[in-house]
Amino acid sequence: MIEDNRLERMLLEEYILRYNFLKIAGSFHNPVESLEFIQRGTTDLLFIDVDMPIMSGIEFLKSLPAPPPCIFVTVHPEFAIDAFDIQAIDYLLKPVKPERLDKAIQRTLELFEIKDKATQYGLHLENDFLMIKEGTTVNKLYLHELIYLEALTNYSKIVTSTKKYITLNNLKNFLDELPQDRFLRIHRSYAVAIDKVKGFSGNDLLVGDQMLPLGKTYRHEVKKLIKDI
């Protein structure tokens, strides 16, 4: 945990320790103090503030070659998009409420479960379909069935209208293999099938029946493309 406010850090620690499967391995006042500990690569989940002395939580995580899974805890809602751009699991606003923390913890557990299951999946890309192996079962998935792809660190989630799959390919490598005229990166964590895009509202894109975040880096190109469709 990295939090410069001592009282807020103590309160969050109290909430976290209510979960018997969580252990606080380290608690720090600012990112620089935590660097040696983080670089050991033993942190399963990091709670981190945004606005702190020396450097912000977002700047700190961007500086790490392999940042751990993290949940931001802050008073600044305006940095939420930046946080999710670096694949934060969740973004909690202070004062943290126990019920909101519980949702973040449950979301984290679901993500870890997905990662565990990902070892059962293999993927092979043919001309117009994917062959996805789940254990001993092989599924044939046509590209037109794909709605969007979601990055999960070194994994990718494939979403169709009927099922979700997890592959061991990261999102960039996956997109390198897909037809560029049919799939579009819209966010650090998302790519979509262009023919499934229905429109956008503010900083969100409507894909199928799902609203997905539109990253700042991709916003201009995506909105231009939608107007041309």
Side-chain angles (χ1 to χ4, degrees):
M1 178 185 304
I2 309 175
E3 166 63 70
D4 62 311
N5 186 297
R6 180 174 173 270
L7 292 178
E8 291 176 346
R9 186 169 67 247
M10 291 174 62
L11 179 61
L12 185 56
E13 288 176 354
E14 179 186 334
Y15 288 162
I16 290 173
L17 290 175
R18 296 177 184 177
Y19 297 86
N20 57 17
F21 53 86
L22 293 180
K23 176 184 176 182
I24 299 175
S27 187
F28 303 93
H29 178 259
N30 64 61
V32 174
E33 289 180 358
S34 73
L35 184 58
E36 181 179 351
F37 183 88
I38 296 293
Q39 287 178 333
R40 295 176 191 170
T42 57
T43 304
D44 295 320
L45 177 63
L46 174 65
F47 287 86
I48 184 169
D49 194 3
V50 172
D51 188 17
M52 290 183 290
I54 306 177
M55 67 190 313
S56 74
I58 291 174
E59 290 171 337
F60 176 62
L61 289 174
K62 285 183 176 180
S63 73
L64 299 176
C70 67
I71 294 175
F72 280 95
V73 185
T74 180
V75 296
H76 298 286
E78 66 270 21
F79 294 116
I81 293 176
D82 292 327
F84 286 117
D85 274 347
I86 54 175
Q87 299 181 28
I89 295 174
D90 213 332
Y91 194 90
L92 307 181
L93 293 178
K94 299 177 183 178
V96 176
K97 297 180 180 179
E99 58 271 22
R100 181 64 182 85
L101 174 63
D102 188 65
K103 290 183 179 180
I105 296 297
Q106 295 306 316
R107 183 175 183 179
T108 303
L109 293 176
E110 289 173 4
L111 176 60
F112 287 171
E113 182 181 0
I114 284 172
K115 288 183 177 181
D116 288 340
K117 289 181 178 179
T119 58
Q120 303 173 19
Y121 288 73
L123 178 147
H124 181 64
L125 179 65
E126 296 289 348
N127 289 333
D128 201 45
F129 59 87
L130 306 173
M131 298 300 293
I132 300 178
K133 184 178 179 182
E134 301 177 76
T136 58
T137 303
V138 178
N139 300 288
K140 186 174 184 178
L141 177 62
Y142 286 94
L143 295 187
H144 69 78
E145 298 179 71
L146 273 64
I147 299 175
Y148 69 89
L149 311 172
E150 180 180 356
L152 302 171
T153 312
N154 292 322
Y155 308 83
S156 295
K157 178 165 67 175
I158 304 171
V159 178
T160 73
S161 60
T162 58
K163 192 171 181 180
K164 299 175 182 177
Y165 303 88
I166 306 297
T167 79
L168 294 174
N169 302 58
N170 66 40
L171 185 56
K172 180 182 182 305
N173 291 340
F174 200 162
L175 284 174
D176 287 343
E177 299 296 326
L178 291 173
Q180 295 185 7
D181 61 338
R182 296 175 62 181
F183 294 88
L184 178 68
R185 190 81 174 256
I186 65 166
H187 186 278
R188 177 176 290 192
S189 299
Y190 293 96
V192 302
I194 295 174
D195 65 346
K196 301 299 191 300
V197 176
K198 296 181 178 179
F200 62 88
S201 175
N203 294 321
D204 294 317
L205 199 67
L206 179 59
V207 185
D209 59 359
Q210 184 79 27
M211 295 298 291
L212 301 177
L214 184 55
K216 291 189 294 186
T217 305
Y218 309 93
R219 195 170 301 160
H220 177 74
E221 180 181 354
V222 171
K223 289 186 176 180
K224 180 180 181 299
L225 177 64
I226 292 174
K227 291 179 181 178
D228 294 337
I229 294 177

